[in-house]
Amino acid sequence: MAKINKKFKLFIDEELCKGCNICVELCNLHVFDISPKINNKGYYIPVPERIEDCNGCQICELSCPELSLILEEIRL
Amino acid sequence: MTNPIEIHKHRHLKYLRTEILPTAFCSGCGCGTILNIFVNVIDEMGIDPNDIIAVTGIGCSSWIPSPYLAVDTLHTTHGRAIAFATGVKVMKPEKHVVVIAGDGDLSGIGGNHLIHAARRNIDLKVFLVNNFIYGMTGGQVSPTTPKETKTTTTPYGNSEQPFKITELVAAAGANYAARWTTYHIFKLKKAMKESIEKKGFSFIEIISQCPTSYGRKIGQKEGIDQLNHFKANSIDIKNKEKYSEEDLENKIVVGKFVERNRREFVDGLREINKKLAVSN
Amino acid sequence: MNNKEYLKDFAGKTLFVQGDEAAAYGALFAGCNFFAGYPITPASEVAELMAKELPKVGGFYIQMEDEIASMGAIVGAAWTGGKTMTATSGPGFSLMQENIGYACMTETPCVIVDVQRSGPSTGQATKGAQGDMMQARWGTHGDHEIIALCPNSIQESFDLMVEAFNLSEKFRSPVIFLTDGEIGHIREKLVIPELKDIFIQPRRISESKVDIFGGERIPPMIEFGQGHKIHVTGSTHKSNGMRDVSSQNVHDVLIRRIYEKIELNRDIIVKYETHFTDDMDYLVISYGASARPSLGAVHSLRKQGKKIGMLRLITIWPFADKITRELCKKVKKVFVPEMNLGQIAREVERFTSNPVIKISKIGGVSHTINEISEEIISNI
């Protein structure tokens, strides 16, 4: 397996997320899982369970209707 | 392996009035996505928010700029955003005057202003959020609701033909007209950039999801269901010729419909003033 | 070429013009730099003159697709630094009502000219009337106060237009210039004053971020582009402009303030003229075009020895309550000649228990002096 020199971090702003799951569904690499955890507004927030598969395409970040998904590039 | 969830804030929240977040949009609504893409665009283009004046009307999508966008904001009466924006633009042509409102607002009650602004080719950036329904008032038929759809005011199915708004605006004389959906986020982003760069009336019809007042009624309960529908039913304008008019009836033709360089309205007004100043 | 240089050429000159044109000149001298309108008889001459002259003073005339858009555009331009106006007649005035309410709610200075014609509906398009008196007051929905001025001559069309702009700036409110097809279309002498003799009320602008929808009774404005990211909405809003449509208190505070800023300043705003009111048994109250034959009738009845006085209302809204009450007390009967079926007569009734006799004339023809004096004589 080829070694990649950059990886990504994903953060969910729990205060803003409304659990619409658009990120979960739109991610072609199936990085997210629906969380069993409910935030204080009663929404199930997603978890970037397979972050190692993320290629940083930004589709989750840009399509998030609440600006609650933050994608960050990290250098190894 | 589970990732610990850290408290982290989006870098583009600086463009929003954060004290009123989270938004009032329903979970899965496309309005927030459009807001997200718009602030991404102004960030990438390096536009100072102080150089943007947002004008809007009434309805859910009018809430995209007002109150969330932290720029000078004029939240006008229903359907009249473009008329108010015309006054704004004439007085301050150096500003980016952006109108974001819905299909009911801009093409229903405000349809006359839309076509006339396109005809004048005034340098407004108009993003019409088309969710096929009057969402804020609870799901009444709109000028864009597809035929046969049952809404609260078409309980036996919509017998009217929906508007093809982008085609209408292109025909009316706009310098830029495109249609994309909230599924096509990268193409929408590119179109927003193009429309802002383009001088003249620049228009994007953004097909968007309304899970609460529309999706639920057509068997697409979640926002994502409608996004998947957009994905499956969009046809690029480049391939439009391959389809018959009948085939296209229930499809969403996406892409850039027109891009041209007609003289802009305010430029025309200012030219007259310049000439008169010389002759006097 | 700036505004002043061009206007200097006009200053001090005597012109022979229509009331509509005089109103347009008044607007130019008041500093109007943005006009949006839609053609309508008998108001089109205002637009035509503005279209010709505004570009010469660096201003902008735009013809919109309808009166709704015209009213919207002048509000948008006002928030972007414009001194703005539109001109219309009854049918267009009806269309403007929602956005006039928006201007009230957002406290936007602007001037709306209504050259009244016979209505309702299309009515007699080319004939003057005074049928919009109450529409000017209550045309838009919800509680609000409004300022409306009624000129009765060509000179006054000019002078009151300057006043209309000044009041709109001073009170941050739309002002209705409520003229009529008679005054709008007759020609008379207009003497343009010297520039130094024209007072212009400057707009109060705050350079620093302050609450522009509260804090004081008439807060200063911040315009678009000043860098303060202001929020202007027709929804109920807090003093910082942000929408709050659920708190009873926020709505109450906002609407009462907008109401009171005019209501409590009635004495500053209200203008009127009196004739022979020191010694009278009967009072005539009139305004605009109908005040002209009214005054003629008063003069002719005085010659016959009848003790008749007259109150001419120049400001219609807010209503001249004090002087009306005071003068009505002195007389046995009050006569109100007007070109409608008694809109202002009814308002006068609120201030007196004496009989108020309507002298109404509709159909697009002004009262004659004889008609009014005969009506008065038969009632005294």
Side-chain angles (χ1 to χ4, degrees):
Chain A
M1 202 170 139
K3 208 161 163 64
I4 46 167
N5 68 349
K6 54 180 181 179
K7 279 198 169 182
F8 300 92
K9 261 186 167 178
L10 284 164
F11 303 94
I12 314 287
D13 183 341
E14 280 193 48
E15 288 176 1
L16 299 184
C17 178
K18 286 188 188 148
C20 71
N21 289 328
I22 285 177
C23 54
V24 179
E25 300 274 345
L26 284 190
C27 177
N28 290 323
L29 301 168
H30 310 289
V31 166
F32 298 93
D33 275 349
I34 298 170
S35 168
K37 190 182 157 192
I38 300 179
N39 74 359
N40 62 2
K41 304 244 168 17
Y43 296 113
Y44 289 95
I45 55 160
V47 192
E49 194 70 43
R50 287 163 294 279
I51 181 72
E52 63 278 10
D53 293 342
C54 174
N55 68 357
C57 80
Q58 227 193 349
I59 198 163
C60 57
E61 191 190 44
L62 256 187
S63 59
C64 175
E66 300 296 329
L67 282 85
S68 62
L69 211 150
I70 301 117
L71 174 73
E72 271 179 17
E73 196 175 328
I74 43 167
R75 292 264 165 204
L76 283 180
Chain B
M1 182 194 107
T2 49
N3 293 70
I5 293 162
E6 299 173 34
I7 294 296
H8 221 78
K9 289 289 175 188
H10 199 295
R11 63 197 179 283
H12 293 159
L13 289 181
K14 64 181 177 189
Y15 298 111
L16 305 188
R17 293 189 167 104
T18 47
E19 67 277 14
I20 40 176
L21 295 180
T23 68
F25 301 130
C26 306
S27 171
C29 170
C31 289
T33 303
I34 295 162
L35 177 66
N36 187 343
I37 296 171
F38 182 74
V39 293
N40 190 291
V41 164
I42 58 174
D43 187 76
E44 283 188 12
M45 292 180 80
I47 295 173
D48 181 348
N50 289 326
D51 288 333
I52 299 174
I53 300 170
V55 188
T56 183
I58 300 294
C60 293
S61 23
S62 293
W63 284 49
I64 295 172
S66 166
Y68 302 116
L69 207 54
V71 301
D72 282 333
T73 313
L74 187 64
H75 196 144
T76 74
T77 48
H78 192 22
R80 316 304 170 197
I82 288 176
F84 284 72
T86 299
V88 170
K89 185 68 190 182
V90 168
M91 295 309 289
K92 281 225 187 323
E94 68 277 15
K95 299 287 178 190
H96 300 280
V97 182
V98 180
V99 174
I100 308 177
D103 51 310
D105 188 276
L106 289 174
S107 82
I109 186 167
N112 201 25
H113 311 308
L114 177 68
I115 55 172
H116 282 278
R119 173 183 63 79
R120 284 185 195 107
N121 197 27
I122 181 166
D123 189 27
L124 301 177
K125 310 301 142 194
V126 178
F127 304 137
L128 182 151
V129 182
N130 179 2
N131 60 7
F132 307 110
I133 201 83
Y134 284 92
M136 189 172 264
T137 44
Q140 296 81 15
V141 68
S142 93
T144 54
T145 307
K147 266 168 100 172
E148 312 306 336
T149 308
K150 286 184 180 171
T151 71
T152 58
T153 49
T154 51
Y156 312 111
N158 178 22
S159 56
E160 295 180 22
Q161 192 74 33
F163 246 146
K164 292 179 180 173
I165 311 173
T166 310
E167 286 88 334
L168 177 73
V169 170
N175 260 2
Y176 185 97
R179 178 188 292 126
W180 292 105
T181 79
T182 41
Y183 170 75
H184 301 91
I185 53 170
F186 296 112
K187 284 166 174 161
L188 174 57
K189 184 176 145 182
K190 181 165 172 267
M192 274 193 188
K193 279 188 182 170
E194 285 176 355
S195 72
I196 291 170
E197 279 161 1
K198 187 76 186 173
K199 188 158 193 173
F201 193 81
S202 309
F203 176 85
I204 306 173
E205 177 184 358
I206 307 167
I207 306 287
S208 178
Q209 71 273 25
C210 171
T212 305
S213 289
Y214 185 67
R216 275 192 305 147
K217 293 180 182 152
I218 56 163
Q220 297 169 8
K221 227 175 84 200
E222 307 286 340
I224 185 67
D225 299 332
Q226 274 187 275
L227 288 179
N228 286 329
H229 174 84
F230 300 158
K231 180 185 177 183
N233 289 283
S234 291
I235 289 171
D236 196 295
I237 190 166
K238 290 174 201 138
N239 302 322
K240 195 184 154 198
E241 302 310 318
K242 294 178 192 161
Y243 298 84
S244 70
E245 204 169 312
E246 252 185 328
D247 290 340
L248 288 174
E249 191 142 298
N250 294 312
K251 299 288 179 191
I252 303 162
V253 180
V254 294
K256 193 194 296 177
F257 282 64
V258 74
E259 186 170 9
R260 55 193 163 210
N261 294 304
R262 290 184 176 163
R263 188 177 71 175
E264 196 274 327
F265 174 68
V266 184
D267 276 356
L269 286 180
R270 289 192 179 247
E271 264 172 44
I272 293 171
N273 286 17
K274 228 189 222 170
K275 269 187 220 159
L276 286 169
V278 172
S279 66
N280 272 310
Chain C
M1 166 73 57
N2 67 30
N3 198 331
K4 280 230 161 119
E5 274 175 59
Y6 176 74
L7 295 176
K8 240 192 249 166
D9 292 345
F10 277 100
K13 278 197 177 149
T14 300
L15 308 176
F16 186 66
V17 292
Q18 290 185 321
D20 279 355
E21 293 168 318
Y25 281 118
L28 289 168
F29 277 78
C32 175
N33 59 3
F34 184 92
F35 181 104
Y38 186 86
I40 187 166
T41 304
S44 298
E45 290 84 356
V46 184
E48 286 170 349
L49 198 121
M50 293 306 268
K52 187 163 159 261
E53 302 298 333
L54 260 181
K56 297 181 189 168
V57 298
F60 301 98
Y61 166 88
I62 55 175
Q63 188 163 309
M64 297 302 287
E65 50 275 14
D66 56 33
E67 289 87 347
I68 301 172
S70 306
M71 190 58 218
I74 69 165
V75 172
W79 278 98
T80 324
K83 285 190 90 164
T84 69
M85 78 182 280
T86 184
T88 189
S89 186
F93 193 51
S94 295
L95 285 177
M96 288 177 183
Q97 292 303 328
E98 186 192 11
N99 284 343
I100 291 174
Y102 184 89
C104 292
M105 189 64 152
T106 55
E107 301 174 74
T108 306
C110 55
V111 174
I112 301 106
V113 178
D114 176 14
V115 189
Q116 298 170 85
R117 71 188 219 189
S118 292
S121 191
T122 313
Q124 294 170 295
T126 61
K127 306 289 186 187
Q130 295 174 324
D132 307 348
M133 309 310 292
M134 281 297 163
Q135 189 185 21
R137 178 63 189 87
W138 295 113
T140 198
H141 59 281
D143 286 312
H144 65 286
E145 271 284 356
I146 197 83
I147 300 173
L149 311 175
C150 269
N152 87 328
S153 70
I154 275 40
Q155 186 67 45
E156 203 172 65
S157 293
F158 180 99
D159 298 342
L160 274 192
M161 181 55 82
V162 176
E163 176 79 4
F165 272 93
N166 287 346
L167 289 170
S168 81
E169 295 296 345
K170 187 167 181 162
F171 293 99
R172 248 188 85 181
S173 169
V175 172
I176 317 286
F177 186 84
L178 200 53
T179 183
D180 54 68
E182 302 296 325
I183 301 297
H185 274 174
I186 54 169
R187 281 177 195 276
E188 274 178 0
K189 188 170 86 169
L190 168 65
V191 182
I192 306 236
E194 296 293 342
L195 288 180
K196 64 174 171 45
D197 296 330
I198 298 176
F199 170 72
I200 308 279
Q201 177 79 43
R203 181 166 298 177
R204 221 178 119 220
I205 300 280
S206 174
E207 291 304 327
S208 54
K209 177 116 185 172
V210 292
D211 282 359
I212 53 171
F213 297 100
E216 46 188 307
R217 187 167 284 144
I218 308 166
M221 281 178 87
I222 292 173
E223 291 170 347
F224 291 149
Q226 278 181 240
H228 293 310
K229 301 181 175 69
I230 56 168
H231 189 263
V232 181
T233 176
S235 292
T236 295
H237 44 274
K238 295 178 280 195
S239 56
N240 64 2
M242 297 311 290
R243 180 167 50 222
D244 180 344
V245 295
S246 50
S247 314
Q248 185 264 336
N249 181 51
V250 171
H251 187 79
D252 188 280
V253 166
L254 172 70
I255 301 307
R256 279 186 202 277
R257 182 178 59 73
I258 292 176
Y259 197 86
E260 284 173 359
K261 73 178 178 184
I262 292 171
E263 177 61 29
L264 299 180
N265 283 305
R266 258 179 205 248
D267 293 347
I268 299 172
I269 300 168
V270 167
K271 278 191 166 180
Y272 56 83
E273 193 179 87
T274 56
H275 302 271
F276 312 110
T277 49
D278 292 338
D279 163 38
M280 60 174 181
D281 294 330
Y282 301 94
L283 174 67
V284 173
I285 300 181
S286 195
Y287 53 90
S290 40
R292 296 165 70 115
S294 297
L295 186 58
V298 168
H299 278 289
S300 107
L301 291 170
R302 276 269 158 190
K303 273 182 200 156
Q304 296 169 35
K306 313 283 183 208
K307 287 191 168 180
I308 311 264
M310 177 164 167
L311 167 64
R312 178 168 76 88
L313 303 169
I314 297 171
T315 309
I316 286 293
W317 307 116
F319 197 72
D321 56 345
K322 277 185 196 158
I323 187 75
T324 304
R325 187 176 284 125
E326 185 191 310
L327 294 181
C328 286
K329 262 188 212 157
K330 295 187 183 177
V331 298
K332 298 175 195 150
K333 278 182 184 171
V334 183
F335 297 90
V336 185
E338 51 186 334
M339 290 170 75
N340 58 49
L341 295 182
Q343 297 189 17
I344 292 300
R346 204 172 130 149
E347 186 69 15
V348 171
E349 281 172 350
R350 304 195 322 121
F351 299 99
T352 180
S353 49
N354 287 329
V356 176
I357 296 162
K358 297 171 190 169
I359 306 182
S360 292
K361 185 152 186 192
I362 57 171
V365 182
S366 305
H367 300 85
T368 62
I369 290 173
N370 279 346
E371 278 168 358
I372 294 173
S373 32
E374 277 165 22
E375 188 69 25
I376 293 171
I377 283 175
S378 67
N379 278 285
I380 60 176

